[in-house]
Amino acid sequence: MTKNPQPPSQSSASQDTSGSSHPLDFALARNKAWVYQTRNSDPDLFARIGSGQSPEILWIGCADSRIPETTVLGLKPGDVFVHRNIANIVNATDLSALSVIHYAVVHLKVKHVIVCGHTSCGGVAGALGNARLGMLDSWLQPLRQVRAQHTAELEALAPAERALRLSELGVRHSLEVLRQNADVIDAVTERGLQLHGLIFNVGTGELSVLDEEEGETEKEIRGKAFALK
């Protein structure tokens, strides 16, 4: 007979990372506490996710440590398939992102794809500046191109509003790249896959939805140009 899991000691599970404990030791102790709490609140969770996954959401977000997608969505392990990088950039030549998108859309058949940007984004700050950032310069090139396309609008804004606006424009750019992806086009046409743009406010913890209205004419033109057979 399997014994009920025992709670981890309070000292190991509650010690702050600023104490003498190594950060990894602290994280492992927190993992034990999480397992214990999860087995009590949802006893079947690990059995369910151990048998496979069927997430309905693909989340494409920033690698920023302050935006753990499953946590901010209030969901559980197995609910969200994830790809994260600096400044949530979707690039049509990025094999890592393309592999995730293909697997999520074609094999897992997710119903929603979310691109999420956020406030106080270091990648956005880098794209708004002109300092050399080493290999990040190549990565941020698409976002700098978006900045160049909207120079007049951005320069008319105060710094905080400018950063937020470029975050929004970056999300919209990534969504446009997704809409040109053949797998995404097929899934939208054949089974109603939906794409969404979000902004996460780091200071409040809230998500806001970017309005994304697209006419049938735009869809038809995109389908003719990018759909593959």
Side-chain angles (χ1 to χ4, degrees):
M1 178 180 295
T2 303
K3 296 182 179 179
N4 291 329
Q6 297 300 309
S9 66
Q10 291 298 314
S11 60
S12 62
S14 62
Q15 186 174 352
D16 187 85
T17 52
S18 62
S20 59
S21 176
H22 189 283
L24 178 58
D25 294 334
F26 175 79
L28 293 174
R30 292 301 303 162
N31 168 256
K32 293 182 184 299
W34 172 74
V35 170
Y36 174 77
Q37 294 164 0
T38 301
R39 285 177 176 168
N40 281 278
S41 62
D42 189 352
D44 298 325
L45 174 65
F46 295 119
R48 290 198 308 271
I49 64 176
S51 64
Q53 62 173 329
S54 55
E56 296 190 351
I57 295 171
L58 166 60
W59 173 284
I60 300 175
C62 184
D64 193 295
S65 64
R66 299 166 292 179
I67 314 167
E69 63 293 321
T70 304
T71 301
V72 303
L73 291 171
L75 298 177
K76 295 182 178 181
D79 290 339
V80 187
F81 200 67
V82 179
H83 179 77
R84 294 170 67 175
N85 60 42
I86 300 297
N88 43 271
I89 293 172
V90 179
N91 192 320
T93 60
D94 177 8
L95 293 181
S96 177
L98 292 176
S99 298
V100 171
I101 293 163
H102 176 81
Y103 189 75
V105 171
V106 175
H107 298 282
L108 294 177
K109 299 190 182 302
V110 296
K111 297 178 181 178
H112 302 270
V113 178
I114 292 171
V115 178
C116 184
H118 66 98
T119 59
S120 303
C121 179
V124 167
L128 281 171
N130 292 92
R132 289 187 181 274
L133 301 173
M135 65 183 302
L136 284 175
D137 290 322
S138 296
W139 178 255
L140 293 175
Q141 184 72 5
L143 199 52
R144 285 201 169 110
Q145 290 173 338
V146 171
R147 169 194 170 187
Q149 292 164 3
H150 296 269
T151 298
E153 176 189 359
L154 291 169
E155 290 186 349
L157 299 173
E161 287 82 7
R162 188 181 307 145
L164 175 58
R165 183 57 179 153
L166 186 56
S167 292
E168 295 172 347
L169 292 169
V171 168
R172 294 184 191 280
H173 174 75
S174 289
L175 286 171
E176 182 59 27
V177 175
L178 281 168
R179 292 193 183 100
Q180 297 171 7
N181 179 282
D183 291 332
V184 171
I185 291 173
D186 288 346
V188 169
T189 303
E190 296 169 4
R191 58 182 183 82
L193 175 69
Q194 296 182 36
L195 277 61
H196 313 275
L198 302 180
I199 293 292
F200 178 73
N201 188 318
V202 174
T204 67
E206 296 176 325
L207 289 163
S208 57
V209 180
L210 298 181
D211 293 332
E212 285 291 330
E213 293 295 334
E214 185 180 40
E216 291 302 318
T217 301
E218 289 83 355
K219 291 181 182 178
E220 183 178 353
I221 291 172
R222 185 179 293 106
K224 288 181 179 180
F226 297 103
L228 302 176
K229 302 182 189 245

